[in-house]
Amino acid sequence: MSKRIDVKDLNVYYTNFLAVEDVNIEIEAKSVTAFIGPSGCGKSTFLRTLNRMHEVIPGGRVEGEVLLDGDNLYESGVDPVTVRSQIGMVFQRPNPFPTMSIRDNVLAGVKLNSKKISRSDAEDLVEKSLRGANLWNEVKDRLDKPGSGLSGGQQQRLCIARTIAVKPQVILMDEPCSALDPISTLAIEDLINELKNEFTVVIVTHNMQQAARVSDKTAFFNIAGTGKPGKLIEYAETATIFSNPTVKATEDYVSGRFG
Amino acid sequence: MSAVTTRNLPKNSSRKPGLTPNGRKRNSLSKGHLPRWATPGIAAGSLILGAAASTLGGFSVVTFAIFTAIIFVVASAIITTVVEGSRRGKNALATHLVYAAFLLALIPLVSVLFTVLQKGLPGINMHFLFHSMNGVTGAIDNASVENGTPVLGGAYHAVVGTLLITMWSTLISVPVGMLTAIYLVEYGKNGPLARAITFFVDVMTGIPSIVAGLFATALFAVIMGPTARMGIVAAVALSVLMIPTVVRSTEEMLKIVPNELREAAYALGVRKWRTIAKVVIPTAISGIASGVTLAIARVIGETAPILVTAGLANNINVNVFGNWMATLPTFIYYQILTPTSPTNVDPSIQRAWAAALLLILMVMVLNLGARLVASLFAPKKGR
C-alpha cells in the first residue's frame, strides 16, 4: 500500500513568479525522504505540488510532471480530489476539526465524503488509525471529547491518524514537529519510523538532526537570493548528505556554516 | 529597608513581607498614591458641589447630574495629576470619560425599558394576548371607560402577523444571503462579479425601509395587479432589508474560519462543496446564527414597509398568501394615530403600549435564542 513518486522537470509558479525551478527527484516507495533547506527556498511549496495542494492557493500553478507509480498527477482529466485521497498531508500546525470529536476527526475523511461505513467497521478503523498514530492508549477513554482539547503533540498525532485513516499511498508532512516540544517530537519521529513500513513518507523539516534521525534519503533545497527561484541542490542517501556531500553549499548548510 | 523590618520580626512569619508592624504597606515603589477612599470622596464632594451649582439656575435632576459629572471628572483628573503625576491624571480622565459615555449610552435604553414596562404592563393580560381587534369598536372602548370594565380587544392578530411575516422573510433571506456569502468568500475570490456583488450589497444596506416596501408592492402589482396586499408581499419587502445584513454577517463569519481547516479537508480528499458544507459552515454556524437573529431583530420592528404591503387588519389572518395582515408595529401605529374611539383614547393607548412591550419581549427572546443557538453550535472546547 505505497507508491513511488517521480518528479520530472517541475517548475512551480505563484502566478508569474517562479518559486521552484526544474526539480527532478525520485522518491522510493516505503521510504522516508526528508527535504531540508533554508526558509523560503521552496521546500514546502514543492511538497504541496506532490498532492496538488499548491493549486489551492490563488495563482498557484506548475509545469512539468509528477508521476505516482508512472501516472502523471498533472495530466488533464486528473481529478485533484482523487490525487489527494491517495497522497495525504500533515500540516505544520495541528489542525483537527474543532466541531468534531476525536472519533469523528479520525473518521473525517470517510464521513465528510458521506461514504457509508458500518458502526463496527468505523470502530475498527478508529482504533487501527489511532494505534497507527500511537495515540490510542491516550485517547481511548475519551473518543467522544472534542479533538481541540488534546495537547499540541496529541493533536498532531490525531491529524496523522486522520490522514492514515483514508489509507493513502503516500504521506506528506510539512514540518510536522515545528510547533511541538521535544517529547512530542520524539513520539512523532518514532511514528514516522513505523509508518515507513506501510507508506511512502516525505517530510519537510528545519531540524537537521531530525532529518538525520528519520530519513533514508535527504534532499537539500537552496535559493540563490530573494526573488530568485528555489532549486534542488543535492539529493542522496541521508548518510551521504550529512557526512560526505558533493556540493559545497550542502556541506555548509548541514555543518551550520551557512550564510 | 522593608526587608530588614521583616527579618527583625521572625515571630510574625504569617505577616506578608513588606508590611510594617502596624500592617500598613510601606513600599518605595508604591508611594505617591491616592488613598482608597479618594475616588468615593471626590464623588461625594462633586455631588454636594453639583447640587449647589444646579440650584443657582433652578434645581432639576438633569442639571444636577450634568454638573456633578463634570465636576467629578475635572476634579478627579486634577487631584490625581497633583498627587500621582500627569500620566495617572490622564488615565483618570480617560477612565471617567469612558464610564460617562457608557452611562450616557445606557440612559435611553433604561428609559425606554422603564417607560414601556410602566405603561405596557397594565395592558398585558390573557385577553390581550389571545384576542384580536375584530369587532372591537369605539362604542366598546367608550363603555369600558365609562363603566370601568377591563379594556377589550388585543394584539393576537398582530402577533400572529408579525411571526408569520418575519418567518417568511427569514425563509427567503437566509438561503439567499448565506449562498451569496458563500459565493463571495469561497468562490468569488475578489473577482469582478464578487466585487460587484459586494458593492450592491453595500448599497442595499442603505435602502430606506419604505423604499423596500414600495419595491415589493410594485413587484407584486406587476404580477398580481395593483391591489395585491398580503403577508407575503411584506415578507418580500422585509427580506430586501434582511438580505444585505445576512450576507454581511455570514461573510464575516466565513472569513474567520481558518484556511487550515479547508486545507485539512482538501488533503483528505474531500470535495470543495463538501468541505464548505461540512467543515466551514459548521465551524462558523454559531456566528451565522446570531447574525441572522440580529437581522430578524432589525426587521421585526419595521412599520412603513408593512403598511404599504400588508395593509392593516383587525381580524386574525394566518394566510400570508391572501388578505391583509397586521403586525405589532402597524398595530401600535394605528392605535396611537387613529384610536378606536376618538373620544376615549385611553384604551387604544394602553393597547399600543402593551403591544410595544410585547414587541420588545419578542426581540429579547430572539436575542436570547441567538445566544443559545450560538453556544449550542459553537466549536466544542475542553477535554
Side-chain angles (χ1 to χ4, degrees):
Chain A
M1 202 175 66
S2 70
K3 291 184 176 176
R4 58 178 288 119
I5 295 180
D6 298 279
V7 180
K8 289 182 181 162
D9 305 324
L10 192 78
N11 290 318
V12 189
Y13 294 87
Y14 287 104
T15 318
N16 291 318
F17 172 71
L18 180 59
V20 181
E21 189 179 18
D22 201 23
V23 178
N24 285 283
I25 198 169
E26 294 96 40
I27 296 165
E28 298 294 332
K30 294 192 179 183
S31 71
V32 179
T33 306
F35 293 171
I36 60 170
S39 287
C41 71
K43 316 177 287 294
S44 295
T45 304
F46 175 61
L47 187 79
R48 290 169 65 95
T49 63
L50 299 183
N51 70 341
R52 296 193 63 167
M53 284 296 285
H54 177 63
E55 66 204 47
V56 171
I57 298 164
R61 63 193 177 88
V62 299
E63 289 168 2
E65 293 187 339
V66 178
L67 306 173
L68 180 71
D69 264 9
D71 300 324
N72 186 5
L73 304 185
Y74 285 96
E75 210 165 80
S76 65
V78 173
D79 187 348
V81 172
T82 320
V83 171
R84 290 175 202 141
S85 63
Q86 299 215 9
I87 308 179
M89 189 162 199
V90 176
F91 296 85
Q92 183 170 359
R93 292 219 335 247
N95 51 1
F97 297 118
T99 48
M100 299 181 192
S101 66
I102 293 173
R103 175 186 285 113
D104 287 347
N105 260 290
V106 177
L107 293 174
V110 179
K111 281 201 168 171
L112 292 182
N113 277 323
S114 287
K115 286 182 196 145
K116 289 277 174 285
I117 185 166
S118 73
R119 187 178 282 267
S120 60
D121 284 356
E123 290 303 314
D124 289 349
L125 182 62
V126 168
E127 179 168 353
K128 190 164 164 277
S129 308
L130 285 172
R131 279 195 195 281
N134 281 339
L135 192 63
W136 175 251
N137 286 327
E138 291 160 66
V139 300
K140 63 183 175 197
D141 301 323
R142 46 174 168 149
L143 292 175
D144 292 319
K145 299 279 162 58
S148 45
L150 298 173
S151 77
Q154 290 172 326
Q155 284 188 20
Q156 192 64 299
R157 277 179 281 151
L158 178 61
C159 293
I160 295 174
R162 178 175 74 185
T163 306
I164 60 185
V166 296
K167 305 191 178 77
Q169 310 289 340
V170 181
I171 298 178
L172 309 176
M173 297 189 173
D174 188 358
E175 298 181 38
C177 302
S178 64
L180 306 180
D181 70 299
I183 307 285
S184 309
T185 302
L186 192 67
I188 290 189
E189 286 179 8
D190 288 345
L191 177 58
I192 292 171
N193 267 323
E194 289 169 25
L195 292 176
K196 189 167 79 168
N197 301 324
E198 262 187 276
F199 306 96
T200 307
V201 179
V202 183
I203 176 172
V204 167
T205 178
H206 272 294
N207 182 332
M208 277 178 278
Q209 288 79 17
Q210 182 171 61
R213 282 193 298 263
V214 300
S215 68
D216 303 309
K217 288 184 115 181
T218 298
F220 172 62
F221 287 78
N222 201 0
I223 187 168
T226 341
K228 302 251 176 62
K231 285 183 179 174
L232 174 62
I233 304 296
E234 192 170 358
Y235 177 52
E237 296 290 327
T238 300
T240 317
I241 290 280
F242 281 96
S243 58
N244 191 19
T246 49
V247 185
K248 180 80 167 61
T250 315
E251 191 185 341
D252 288 351
Y253 187 77
V254 297
S255 61
R257 246 182 292 136
F258 200 83
Chain B
M1 241 181 46
S2 54
V4 176
T5 323
T6 33
R7 225 174 279 151
N8 289 343
L9 293 161
K11 283 171 202 163
N12 292 328
S13 53
S14 63
R15 189 176 283 158
K16 285 183 194 146
L19 293 181
T20 52
N22 58 11
R24 275 192 48 198
K25 204 170 185 182
R26 269 198 208 285
N27 184 332
S28 63
L29 296 173
S30 67
K31 72 180 175 190
H33 260 284
L34 281 172
R36 252 186 209 177
W37 50 264
T39 305
I42 297 170
S46 309
L47 275 174
I48 296 162
L49 285 176
S54 60
T55 47
L56 294 178
F59 183 83
S60 85
V61 179
V62 177
T63 53
F64 172 52
I66 292 173
F67 277 125
T68 308
I70 293 173
I71 292 170
F72 175 72
V73 169
V74 173
S76 64
I78 291 172
I79 293 172
T80 318
T81 307
V82 170
V83 180
E84 302 190 337
S86 76
R87 189 185 67 79
R88 286 184 174 278
K90 284 179 205 151
N91 180 40
L93 181 68
T95 309
H96 294 143
L97 283 179
V98 169
Y99 281 130
F102 165 68
L103 289 175
L104 214 59
L106 217 58
I107 288 171
L109 177 69
V110 172
S111 153
V112 165
L113 277 181
F114 180 77
T115 317
V116 173
L117 276 175
Q118 187 194 29
K119 299 197 174 177
L121 268 183
I124 299 269
N125 51 47
M126 294 313 272
H127 183 86
F128 178 79
L129 290 177
F130 294 103
H131 286 83
S132 72
M133 288 297 287
N134 203 9
V136 178
T137 58
I140 293 176
D141 273 1
N142 288 342
S144 80
V145 171
E146 280 155 20
N147 306 334
T149 49
V151 175
L152 295 178
Y156 182 68
H157 60 305
V159 172
V160 170
T162 301
L163 290 176
L164 282 175
I165 288 175
T166 316
M167 184 192 79
W168 276 97
S169 62
T170 310
L171 285 181
I172 297 168
S173 29
V174 168
V176 174
M178 265 181 75
L179 291 174
T180 308
I182 288 171
Y183 173 77
L184 288 177
V185 177
E186 307 287 339
Y187 293 96
K189 302 239 166 80
N190 223 14
L193 181 59
R195 268 178 290 162
I197 292 174
T198 309
F199 174 73
F200 285 114
V201 166
D202 283 348
V203 172
M204 263 176 95
T205 319
I207 289 183
S209 55
I210 182 71
V211 176
L214 291 174
F215 157 76
T217 314
L219 179 73
F220 277 80
V222 170
I223 302 170
M224 312 185 56
T227 52
R229 292 265 193 290
M230 50 196 186
I232 193 72
V233 187
V236 167
L238 291 187
S239 65
V240 170
L241 299 171
M242 259 182 93
I243 286 171
T245 329
V246 174
V247 171
R248 273 307 180 165
S249 57
T250 310
E251 196 188 348
E252 292 308 316
M253 288 304 136
L254 293 180
K255 270 184 188 163
I256 59 172
V257 173
N259 231 352
E260 298 164 356
L261 295 180
R262 295 185 182 91
E263 294 202 334
Y266 294 154
L268 291 170
V270 179
R271 291 199 182 279
K272 184 164 187 171
W273 73 271
R274 283 194 178 279
T275 305
I276 295 168
K278 297 201 164 178
V279 174
V280 178
I281 291 181
T283 310
I285 191 72
S286 69
I288 294 173
S290 53
V292 167
T293 321
L294 287 179
I296 295 174
R298 148 104 176 67
V299 299
I300 202 170
E302 284 295 348
T303 318
I306 307 286
L307 286 179
V308 296
T309 51
L312 181 86
N314 279 333
N315 55 320
I316 299 162
N317 175 14
V318 291
N319 180 12
V320 288
F321 298 103
N323 296 327
W324 291 21
M325 262 183 143
T327 64
L328 282 170
T330 55
F331 176 75
I332 297 167
Y333 176 77
Y334 268 105
Q335 287 297 316
I336 295 283
L337 205 71
T338 57
T340 314
S341 159
T343 45
N344 284 313
V345 296
D346 286 348
S348 280
I349 287 179
Q350 183 190 320
R351 283 192 289 262
W353 280 108
L357 179 60
L358 219 51
L359 190 59
I360 289 182
L361 285 176
M362 280 167 76
V363 173
M364 226 145 120
V365 167
L366 267 178
N367 275 319
L368 289 175
R371 279 164 177 257
L372 194 71
V373 167
S375 65
L376 282 181
F377 283 122
K380 286 143 197 89
K381 291 196 180 72
R383 279 147 204 270

